[in-house]
Amino acid sequence: GIAAATEDENRVWNVLFYLGIVLSYILGSTLLQEIKRRSDRPALVAAPVCLSLVVLGDVFYYMFGLNHWQVIVLAPAFGIQNSLTFGGAMEINTTIITGNIQKLSICLHQIFMGTMTRKKLVNFSGPATAVVATILAATAGAFVLI
């Protein structure tokens, strides 16, 4: 990543690589917008597209071995998945929740391993509150929409 990007011979390829990831992600998000325009059930249409991209990434892995460029094939699937949460009945930004859930998984691991301290536990209270609040808000919204 960053270290390789500073080497002269890799600089152009790294710029193209990271640009490719961003553009592929945007392509996935844009594709979902078109699917939403054409279908009243976009998740049912987008799911096979995402699955196909993941399978294609695996096929490339088995054909060509481990290559970091394969992430460009997967990036549109992530763009589609993240964009599915925007719009519709319940708009929830999953990127905020994803980071907080990852922090909570670290917390749970430390609790189970016996390495959790009171100070660390206090630091995890913010992410825990965000996750609980989002779950409660999504549940309340679901009941309102019923």
Side-chain angles (χ1 to χ4, degrees), residues 34 42 91 96 100:
E34 182 61 21
E91 297 182 17
I96 294 169
N100 287 321

Side-chain angles (χ1 to χ4, degrees), residues 28-61:
S29 285
T30 305
L31 177 62
L32 180 68
Q33 298 312 309
E34 182 61 21
I35 292 171
K36 284 181 177 179
R37 189 178 71 81
R38 293 178 182 238
S39 174
D40 59 339
R41 311 237 353 179
L44 290 176
V45 177
V49 173
C50 289
L51 180 61
S52 299
L53 290 168
V54 171
V55 168
L56 184 61
D58 284 345
V59 168
F60 285 165
Y61 172 77

Side-chain angles (χ1 to χ4, degrees), residues 14-81:
N14 282 324
V15 168
L16 292 175
F17 173 68
Y18 291 115
L19 185 62
I21 292 172
V22 171
L23 292 176
S24 294
Y25 183 93
I26 292 170
L27 174 68
S29 285
T30 305
L31 177 62
L32 180 68
Q33 298 312 309
E34 182 61 21
I35 292 171
K36 284 181 177 179
R37 189 178 71 81
R38 293 178 182 238
S39 174
D40 59 339
R41 311 237 353 179
L44 290 176
V45 177
V49 173
C50 289
L51 180 61
S52 299
L53 290 168
V54 171
V55 168
L56 184 61
D58 284 345
V59 168
F60 285 165
Y61 172 77
Y62 288 114
M63 288 176 63
F64 305 112
L66 185 59
N67 185 327
H68 69 275
W69 288 91
Q70 293 163 351
V71 75
I72 294 174
V73 175
L74 296 174
F78 294 119
I80 290 170
Q81 290 174 349

Side-chain angles (χ1 to χ4, degrees), residues 49-123:
V49 173
C50 289
L51 180 61
S52 299
L53 290 168
V54 171
V55 168
L56 184 61
D58 284 345
V59 168
F60 285 165
Y61 172 77
Y62 288 114
M63 288 176 63
F64 305 112
L66 185 59
N67 185 327
H68 69 275
W69 288 91
Q70 293 163 351
V71 75
I72 294 174
V73 175
L74 296 174
F78 294 119
I80 290 170
Q81 290 174 349
N82 194 35
S83 295
L84 273 171
T85 62
F86 297 132
M90 296 188 326
E91 297 182 17
I92 299 173
N93 188 346
T94 58
T95 55
I96 294 169
I97 296 304
T98 301
N100 287 321
I101 288 176
Q102 289 172 347
K103 290 175 185 175
L104 288 180
S105 67
I106 293 168
C107 176
L108 289 174
H109 182 261
Q110 289 178 358
I111 288 171
F112 290 134
M113 301 313 306
T115 59
M116 178 57 69
T117 63
R118 185 173 297 273
K119 183 178 179 181
K120 288 180 187 177
L121 191 58
V122 169
N123 290 337

